[in-house]
Structures are given as C-alpha cells and as structure tokens.
Amino acid sequence: MSKYDVIVIGGGPGGYVASIRCAQLGLKTACVEGRDTLGGTCLNVGCIPSKALLHASHQLHEAEHNFEKMGLIAKTPSVDWAKMQNYKSETIEANTKGIEFLFKKNKIEHLKGWASISGEGKVQINEKTFEANNIVIASGSEPSTIPNVKIDEKIIVSSTGALSLPKIPKTMTVIGAGVIGLELGSVYARLGTKVTILEYLNHITPGMDTEVQKTFQRILKKQDISFIMGAAVQSATKSKSKGKVQYKLNKDDSAHEIESDVILVATGRKPNTHGLGLEALDIKLNDRGHIITNASWETTLPNIYAIGDVIEGPMLAHKAEDEGMAVAEQIAGKSGHVNYQVIPSVIYTAPEVASVGLTEEQAKENNRSIKVGKFMFMGNGRAKANFAADGFVKIIADKDTDRILGAHIIGPAAGDLIHELCVAMEFGASAEDLALTCHAHPTYSEAIREAALACGTGAIHA
Ligand code: NAD
C-alpha cells in the first residue's frame, strides 16, 4: 500500500477543506470519514439541514403575516411535515454529493470507516493500517448535555434529533438560549409549537453585544417564544409521550417544573476526541478536552495536526474551513494563516444576527477608547418595503484612529451584510473609508454606510 503525504481524519468543513487544499498543493491525500456521507455535522445534521427548516418555516411566516399586506391573496398555508423533511433531506444530499464530486475532481481518496491513530504516521481503519507523512485530526464536536438530563433523541433531543422529529410537537422546552436553542426554537415556533426557553443567565446568546442581545430577545418574544431567564436546569424526566424539566430560579432558589412534548438540550457542544487513540500517544488535551496545538496547528506530536471544533476557539464551520486551508499550506511548506480577530458569527433566525470583532463591552474592558455609530433599519427604505425594519447596524471604531474594531448587525440579511465589515477590518479600514464608499440604493447595505457615517459627522437618514 503506498504512503500518503497526508491523511485527514474527518470529512466535515475542516477536514474536507483541508483535504482539497492539500490535493491542490500537490500532496497525495486521503480523507477518512466514519459517516456514510461526507460533510460532517454541518452538512448532515447541523448548518445545512437547520437552514433548510429555517428557510421553509420563514416562508410560512411570510405567507401568514405579510402576504396579505402586499396584496397577495393565497389559500391559508398549511404544513406538510413529511414533505418539509424530504426537502431538508434533498438539500443535505445535494450538498454531501457536492463534496464527493470535489474529492473525485481533486483525486482525494475517500477512506470509509472510523479512524484511530495507532502510532506516528499510522492510521488504523477497520483493522487496516494506512501510512502518511502527516495526519490532520478534524474530528469535530458532539452535543454535550448537563448532569441528570439524558438525551434519548425521541423526547429529550439534541440538535440532531430536533431536526428529524416524527411530527411537529405542540409544546417544546429548550434548555439554553444559545445559537442552537434560538435557531431551532424559531423553526418550531413558526410551525406552531409553543416554545419555552430556559436559560441559566439573565441574557440570551452569551458573548454577544449587550444591545444586540436585548433587541434580539425583544423581537423573539414578539414571535411568541417564551423565556424563563436565570433558570438553572437540574434534571429532566420523561414518560411515554412527554418530558418534564426541573429547574431552579437563581433569584430565589425556588424549584419549578415544566412539561412539554419535546425537550431540546442546547447547552453547548464538546470536542470529539474519543476513539482516536490519543491516550496512548503523547497528544495532549487541555482541561476542556480540546487538542492542544501550536500556532501552526501542530499537536504535541510532530506531523500530527488538529483543526476545527476539536481544538480551542469558536465552534464554527467557517473557522474550521479557514484552519483547514491554513494547515494544508503549513504542511506544504507555505505560510498558512488565520486571522482570529476577524471571524464572523451569525445566527440564522429572522431577523438574522451577525457580529465580528469586539463588542462594545469588550472594547471598554480592554480600555480601548472607542466611538460607536449606530443606524436603525427603520431608516432604510428597502428594509421598510420588505417588512424587515426591526434591528440595527452598530459599528465600533477606535476613537483616535477611526479604525473599525467590531460590528454587530441585527436585521435583514445580517449574515451576508457582515462580510463588508469583515473585509474592511481585514484591510484595516476606518469607519470613514466605509462612509466614503458609494453604496447602491435601495439596499440593506446602505445601513452599514449610515452606521459608518454615524461614527463621524452623522448618518443622513437618522
Ligand atoms: P451555546 O454555548 O451557544 O449556548 C448554550 C446556552 O445554554 C448558554 O446560554 C448557557 O448559559 C445555557 N445553559 C448551559 N447549562 C444550562 C443549564 N443547566 N440550565 C439552563 N441553561 C443552561 O451552545 P449551543 O447553542 O448548544 O451551540 C453549540 C455550539 O455550536 C456553539 O459553539 C455554536 O457556536 C455552534 N453553532 C453555531 C451555529 C451558527 O453559527 N449559526 C449554529 C449552531 C451551532
């Protein structure tokens, strides 16, 4: 059996991108994947299927709430859940097949099975040993739960089970008001489920700009999602067809219980390192279970690298992809690089929420002297025409240099708009650079220019 230059373990966004880039750089590459299809969590049970359900349920919301206002008279829309699930599956298939095609095109060998590392340069799959000069671990992450809450993927579900429920539940309790809880909670709320979210903290989406958190929660409440804040979940129990969550309120330690058809556990994800054989090697993990790497993504063993959710940093597909490209370049003797200061994060609710760089609070904690320019979508003609005028763009710039330090958007197409700010930050742009850039009218992007103007002499439509 011939030796590979690189074997990548894991075919998710980190692993498949690393494989493609390695092959493009002339390295003989194989990628091992234990699932039947390539694409990892993101394509199979994460980003892509959830976006299909978010898109479908958003269309329903538009039909129910905005069609008539625009003079569109349709029959009352209803949901065919089996068909919607089918649409979701077809979307997954189209995407995973796309990666298969890219592997063939780039002559990457797709090794099927669960891999472990049996020694330096040795990867074992189903009793067979494969050899490589370099190994990249891109094994991703898996849902984590909390003590006394046991996921059965039927009544007490993780995000994976929540994407494939046999029917739309009448009631759902979500544990955790993070990204997964809010995205999937939104899907079911739009489909008619009574959704209640229990959150330990007194605010949603930890780490996000406080002003955005408040606006976001207000908007979600208007969409009939209920929140119980400062609620520490203690346990969950289930009967044949219902589940109960027991929780205590932090403010007075009082004990409560809530019953629902389904309980979604959305309390975070943990790095997936089991079964890789790391214990027998000298590959070290940190105290949170992430594989420790140096600035070139090399683990504590030479020529074994790790990228994506299995190492420190935000658990985001695009962060893993960037690391995938960079590690391939490192292995090929080039200088791969990831700018961790400019990694956008997006929540795909309606409206979308997106951010990059420092929040106002982080800037102040770091004693940065800043100025803040904010523009409400209410002043944006396109947003008003599209019933999407809730929310704002907020730009944080250095007070002295005017350099953009961070940006936060809640509003229509925020997940796409944020990239103008990412590019600006990559180029070290000032808020004035954006303010002086002509933006087409009428577009949502004008709100970015207005926020940039608000960092200086003032927005026009405010
Ligand atoms: P999260 O860390 O974003 O949020 C978990 C929430 O659960 C927190 O708000 C936390 O305070 C709360 N919580 C924890 N224990 C609790 C308890 N006992 N009682 C009540 N509340 C409790 O986790 P997530 O939403 O599960 O997402 C996991 C990862 O997946 C994240 O890293 C996220 O970035 C990633 N992800 C990203 C996207 C996206 O980019 N759109 C989508 C899905 C997932």
Side-chain angles (χ1 to χ4, degrees):
M1 193 175 302
S2 60
K3 196 170 180 178
Y4 294 100
D5 293 315
V6 188
I7 293 182
V8 179
I9 299 177
Y16 83 70
V17 168
S19 303
I20 292 173
R21 184 54 109 220
C22 283
Q24 287 173 337
L25 293 170
L27 301 169
K28 184 172 157 53
T29 307
C31 177
V32 200
E33 174 53 58
R35 267 198 181 90
D36 291 340
T37 48
L38 293 166
T41 298
C42 175
L43 271 68
N44 290 283
V45 287
C47 328
I48 296 298
S50 63
K51 258 79 277 175
L53 295 184
L54 278 158
H55 178 67
S57 58
H58 181 59
Q59 299 304 312
L60 175 70
H61 177 92
E62 287 295 289
E64 285 174 342
H65 294 86
N66 292 330
F67 270 24
E68 211 182 321
K69 291 185 207 160
M70 294 184 283
L72 294 171
I73 312 303
K75 274 194 274 172
T76 314
S78 61
V79 180
D80 182 334
W81 182 235
K83 228 173 181 173
M84 197 183 283
Q85 284 287 321
N86 209 24
Y87 151 65
K88 180 202 74 179
S89 303
E90 282 169 5
T91 309
I92 296 172
E93 197 183 334
N95 281 276
T96 55
K97 285 251 163 72
I99 313 296
E100 258 175 54
F101 163 78
L102 291 173
F103 270 26
K104 283 199 186 105
K105 183 179 159 198
N106 287 287
K107 301 190 174 45
I108 297 161
E109 201 152 332
H110 174 188
L111 305 173
K112 295 183 181 171
W114 298 105
S116 61
I117 305 173
S118 46
E120 283 184 46
K122 287 192 170 45
V123 172
Q124 194 155 336
I125 310 161
N126 303 329
E127 320 281 301
K128 257 182 158 173
T129 302
F130 296 81
E131 288 188 38
N133 294 325
N134 301 280
I135 297 169
V136 178
I137 305 170
S139 50
S141 62
E142 57 188 354
S144 66
T145 184
I146 46 178
N148 306 319
V149 177
K150 202 164 175 285
I151 292 168
D152 66 358
E153 297 297 15
K154 289 189 175 79
I155 289 178
I156 306 179
V157 300
S158 70
S159 53
T160 304
L163 291 166
S164 301
L165 294 176
K167 59 178 188 197
I168 299 168
K170 286 204 168 65
T171 50
M172 176 183 266
T173 306
V174 178
I175 310 176
V179 191
I180 291 179
L182 298 182
E183 286 188 354
L184 289 174
S186 286
V187 165
Y188 285 101
R190 289 179 205 154
L191 296 176
T193 305
K194 175 85 199 92
V195 174
T196 305
I197 303 186
L198 299 173
E199 168 54 50
Y200 180 81
L201 301 169
N202 288 322
H203 56 77
I204 65 170
T205 55
M208 193 176 272
D209 190 272
T210 304
E211 219 177 342
V212 174
Q213 285 172 340
K214 286 186 181 151
T215 305
F216 191 20
Q217 193 174 0
R218 176 181 57 74
I219 294 173
L220 291 170
K221 280 185 187 162
K222 272 204 307 196
Q223 296 174 6
D224 286 335
I225 295 179
S226 305
F227 289 91
I228 302 176
M229 305 304 289
V233 170
Q234 309 291 309
S235 54
T237 51
K238 53 171 188 159
S239 64
K240 216 168 136 215
S241 60
K242 297 237 182 241
K244 284 182 185 169
V245 178
Q246 293 78 34
Y247 63 94
K248 277 188 175 172
L249 288 181
N250 294 335
K251 62 177 182 203
D252 55 11
D253 215 29
S254 57
H256 303 261
E257 187 172 74
I258 181 168
E259 187 182 65
S260 55
D261 297 333
V262 171
I263 298 164
L264 166 60
V265 185
T267 50
R269 297 180 63 86
K270 58 180 182 200
N272 187 5
T273 52
H274 53 77
L276 289 170
L278 305 185
E279 309 76 22
L281 303 164
D282 201 17
I283 295 181
K284 295 207 164 50
L285 308 184
N286 68 15
D287 54 5
R288 301 201 313 136
H290 298 105
I291 297 177
I292 296 173
T293 59
N294 64 18
S296 308
W297 301 277
E298 201 167 18
T299 66
T300 41
L301 261 196
N303 303 321
I304 301 187
Y305 299 80
I307 56 165
D309 284 10
V310 80
I311 67 168
E312 194 74 69
M315 286 183 166
L316 298 170
H318 45 278
K319 174 255 192 191
E321 289 183 35
D322 276 26
E323 289 174 343
M325 284 194 275
V327 79
E329 282 161 20
Q330 290 285 348
I331 292 170
K334 298 178 181 294
S335 48
H337 172 74
V338 175
N339 181 359
Y340 289 101
Q341 311 306 313
V342 187
I343 300 214
S345 73
V346 180
I347 306 180
Y348 298 89
T349 43
E352 289 182 350
V353 180
S355 68
V356 62
L358 295 183
T359 62
E360 193 175 343
E361 294 75 33
Q362 285 166 339
K364 284 178 182 157
E365 276 161 26
N366 295 344
N367 296 321
R368 301 289 297 246
S369 149
I370 55 163
K371 50 188 174 175
V372 176
K374 192 172 149 193
F375 184 76
M376 308 298 288
F377 276 104
M378 194 51 86
N380 178 276
R382 185 71 179 277
K384 272 202 290 221
N386 293 1
F387 307 111
D390 242 342
F392 56 83
V393 177
K394 175 172 173 177
I395 294 177
I396 293 153
D398 186 282
K399 198 168 190 173
D400 303 318
T401 65
D402 196 35
R403 192 175 174 149
I404 299 168
L405 303 174
H408 308 275
I409 307 176
I410 174 164
D416 290 296
L417 294 180
I418 196 71
H419 296 98
E420 176 174 351
L421 277 315
C422 295
V423 174
M425 286 174 70
E426 276 289 347
F427 279 73
S430 64
E432 190 184 32
D433 288 327
L434 284 187
L436 290 175
T437 304
C438 183
H439 283 62
H441 176 76
T443 58
Y444 298 139
S445 300
E446 287 173 289
I448 293 180
R449 184 198 204 172
E450 292 274 25
L453 280 165
C455 284
T457 43
I460 300 295
H461 297 89

